[in-house]
Amino acid sequence: MHEVTLRMKQIKKSFSSVSVLKGVDLEARSGEVLALLGTNGAGKSTLMNTLCGLFKQNSGEIELDGKVVSFNNPTEAAEAGIAFVQQEMTLMPTMSIVDNLFLTNYKKKAGLIQYKELKEKCKEALAKLGCNYDPDTLIQNLGAGDRQLVQITRSLLMDPHIIIFDEATSSLTPREKQRLFKVIRSLRDSGATIIYITHMMDEISEICDKLMVLRDGVRSGMMDAKEYNKAELVSTMVGDKAKEMNSAHRTVKSFENSPVYMKVDHWTETGVVSDISFELHSGEVMGLWGLLGAGRTELVRAIYGADPIESGTITFNGKKYSPKSPADGLEAGIGLIPEDRKAQGCVLSLTIRENIVYSILKKISKVSVVQKKQEKEIVDQYIKELNVKTPSPEQLVKNLSGG
C-alpha cells in the first residue's frame, strides 16, 4: 500500500455569497496518479488553488506527510515540494523560454547570470518532453501546445514530490500527449504523488490509478481507475442530468438541400494552408479537425476578420465577404470563441456584465448611451443560460474559475 502524502480535510471555500467548496476531503498517495474529475464549476481548480496557497480556505486543514501545513502563497507551497501546472498560461510572453524556466532561480556568478549553463539545463529539461526549442525563443512566438509543454517543463524543474496537472493535455497533439504520459509514469514510478485534472475519459484508464469526483463543491465519489463504469462515472459527475443525457437522441440529417450560408473558395496562406474550399449550409454544424499547426485557427481567424486573407474568396449569405477587421465579422453576424480565452476571449480586468455586452454596445445604445434595461436583460439571460456561477454580474472576470 502506497503511503498517504496529502490529506485535505473538510475544506470549505466561498467567494462572496457563492459557496464553491462545501467540506471536501481528499487523500493522495505516493506512487499513484489520482484523477480529479467534475464538470465546469465543480470546484476542482479551486481545491487545488487552495492547496497551493493561491486561495485561503474558510475552514478545514491540509496535511503533508502527516503534518498540518498552511501556505500563504504559491511560493511557500513550491518550497514545500508542490508544483501546479495550471490550465491557464502563467508564462511571460515577452521573455524567452530560458528566462521563463529560471525566472525565480537564476544561476549567478559574481553577480552575473550564467546563461550558457542555464541554456544547457533548459535543453536537457525540454528534451524529457521531446522538445528541441531554442532556449532564446520568445514565448509569444510559440503555439498554444508548445507553451503548455514549456509550462510543464518549468514545474518539473523544481523536482517536486506532489505535482498537479490541470487539463494539461488540452492543447497537445496526440504525440505530445504520449510524451507527457511517459514523463508522468516515470514520476509516479519514482514515488511522486500526481493529481490529474481532466475532462478526457480516455485518459483516465490510460494514466490514472484512482478517481475522485467533485460535484457542486462536494466529493460525490471515489473509484478505481481500472474498474470504473463510464455510465456510473457520468452519473456521479452530473447527477440527475445523466438521465436527461441518456434519453436525448440526436438524428443526423443531410443538409445537401439546405441553402449554402457560407462558402470558402481556394483559401491559401503561404506556409500554413493551401487551396482550402468548403461549404457550410444553414442549420449545419461542421467540425474542423486537424493537428496543431494544421491551419484550423488561422482559417477561423481569417473568416472572422482577425487575420488578413492572402488568397481566396469567402461568400457569406450569398454575398462576397471580405473582412478587414473583427468589426466586419461582428457586423456580418459572425462570432469567434478563440483558442486562447484568457488573452483573446475576455478582458479580465472588466466585469462579467462588461464582457458580455462588449461586442454589442452599438446595438444596445441610443445616442451613444447604453440602454441599461436592455443590457441587464441580456446579461441576466446569458448568466442563466450558461450557468455562470457568480454572486453578481459586477464580479471581475479574472476572479472566475477557468470554466
Side-chain angles (χ1 to χ4, degrees):
M1 178 68 73
H2 299 284
E3 293 183 1
V4 175
T5 54
L6 169 66
R7 279 192 177 94
M8 302 183 76
K9 300 179 181 179
Q10 287 295 296
I11 303 297
K12 295 182 180 181
K13 179 62 183 175
S14 298
F15 296 96
S16 298
S17 60
V18 178
S19 181
V20 180
L21 300 176
K22 307 169 185 176
V24 177
D25 293 321
L26 177 146
E27 280 191 359
R29 299 174 179 273
S30 62
E32 284 188 351
V33 179
L34 172 67
L36 185 57
L37 309 172
T39 58
N40 284 337
K44 307 181 297 295
S45 296
T46 300
L47 184 64
M48 293 298 98
N49 281 321
T50 301
L51 168 62
C52 294
L54 192 62
F55 301 149
K56 196 72 175 176
Q57 70 266 30
N58 299 118
S59 63
E61 64 180 26
I62 301 170
E63 290 183 3
L64 285 184
D65 298 320
K67 297 179 180 179
V68 177
V69 295
S70 179
F71 302 125
N72 295 310
N73 53 62
T75 300
E76 291 183 4
E79 290 172 350
I82 301 174
F84 190 4
V85 182
Q86 297 189 12
Q87 182 179 8
E88 302 288 351
M89 288 292 118
T90 58
L91 302 173
M92 301 294 182
T94 57
M95 297 181 72
S96 67
I97 294 175
V98 65
D99 283 326
N100 270 275
L101 292 189
F102 297 99
L103 187 59
T104 59
N105 188 29
Y106 279 120
K107 179 77 173 178
K108 295 181 180 179
K109 187 175 182 181
L112 299 176
I113 297 174
Q114 303 299 295
Y115 269 112
K116 184 176 181 180
E117 183 178 343
L118 291 180
K119 288 178 182 180
E120 288 303 315
K121 288 185 177 181
C122 176
K123 290 178 181 178
E124 291 174 9
L126 290 168
K128 292 180 180 179
L129 284 169
C131 307
N132 60 351
Y133 314 134
D134 184 338
D136 290 320
T137 303
L138 298 182
I139 295 298
Q140 64 187 11
N141 294 333
L142 296 175
D146 297 323
R147 278 179 276 163
Q148 181 73 329
L149 290 171
V150 172
Q151 185 160 282
I152 292 169
T153 301
R154 185 177 66 178
S155 295
L156 299 182
L157 269 175
M158 302 178 341
D159 195 24
H161 62 266
I162 296 177
I163 309 107
I164 305 154
F165 293 92
D166 190 354
E167 302 289 354
T169 61
S170 59
S171 301
L172 304 184
T173 66
R175 183 177 295 179
E176 290 168 341
K177 184 167 75 171
Q178 288 306 315
R179 292 204 298 258
L180 174 60
F181 284 175
K182 184 178 179 180
V183 172
I184 291 176
R185 292 188 187 101
S186 176
L187 290 166
R188 177 192 61 192
D189 294 344
S190 67
T193 301
I194 313 291
I195 300 176
Y196 191 83
I197 301 174
T198 183
H199 281 95
M200 309 293 185
M201 291 289 189
D202 62 310
E203 296 179 358
I204 295 171
S205 55
E206 184 173 358
I207 196 65
C208 301
D209 301 301
K210 296 286 177 61
L211 315 179
M212 173 176 157
V213 181
L214 287 181
R215 185 173 77 232
D216 295 327
V218 176
R219 190 174 83 173
S220 59
M222 285 289 297
M223 305 177 191
D224 190 300
K226 295 178 177 59
E227 300 174 358
Y228 82 94
N229 176 279
K230 186 175 181 180
E232 180 185 353
L233 178 58
V234 172
S235 179
T236 305
M237 290 172 64
V238 301
D240 293 338
K241 294 179 182 177
K243 296 178 182 179
E244 299 174 16
M245 293 165 61
N246 292 332
S247 62
H249 296 283
R250 178 174 178 266
T251 301
V252 179
K253 61 180 181 179
S254 171
F255 287 86
E256 289 182 0
N257 296 323
S258 299
V260 176
Y261 201 63
M262 183 175 73
K263 185 178 181 182
V264 174
D265 280 313
H266 308 294
W267 181 67
T268 297
E269 185 173 336
T270 304
V272 181
V273 293
S274 177
D275 199 25
I276 299 295
S277 299
F278 65 87
E279 293 181 348
L280 184 63
H281 298 80
S282 179
E284 186 178 26
V285 177
M286 183 183 75
L288 188 60
W289 186 91
L291 299 178
L292 288 175
R296 302 162 302 169
T297 300
E298 289 81 359
L299 173 59
V300 296
R301 283 178 59 85
I303 292 173
Y304 183 60
D307 290 337
I309 299 172
E310 184 178 306
S311 175
T313 60
I314 301 175
T315 303
F316 188 70
N317 205 18
K319 299 178 181 179
K320 187 175 180 181
Y321 169 68
S322 302
K324 299 293 188 296
S325 70
D328 293 336
L330 288 170
E331 188 67 27
I334 299 175
L336 172 65
I337 301 175
E339 181 179 31
D340 191 340
R341 313 277 197 271
K342 188 175 181 180
Q344 301 172 352
C346 296
V347 182
L348 303 183
S349 59
L350 296 183
T351 65
I352 296 170
R353 170 183 57 80
E354 291 167 324
N355 271 275
I356 289 176
V357 301
Y358 193 78
S359 61
I360 59 166
L361 287 174
K362 284 186 178 180
K363 293 183 179 179
I364 61 172
S365 298
K366 290 183 179 179
V367 198
S368 299
V369 177
V370 174
Q371 302 302 292
K372 292 298 182 181
K373 183 179 178 181
Q374 186 180 5
E375 178 188 47
K376 185 178 186 306
E377 290 174 353
I378 293 170
V379 170
D380 290 346
Q381 174 191 343
Y382 280 102
I383 287 178
K384 183 179 179 180
E385 286 185 3
L386 299 176
N387 193 26
V388 179
K389 296 189 176 182
T390 176
S392 165
E394 300 307 310
Q395 183 175 22
L396 297 181
V397 168
K398 66 182 181 182
N399 294 330
L400 295 174
S401 68

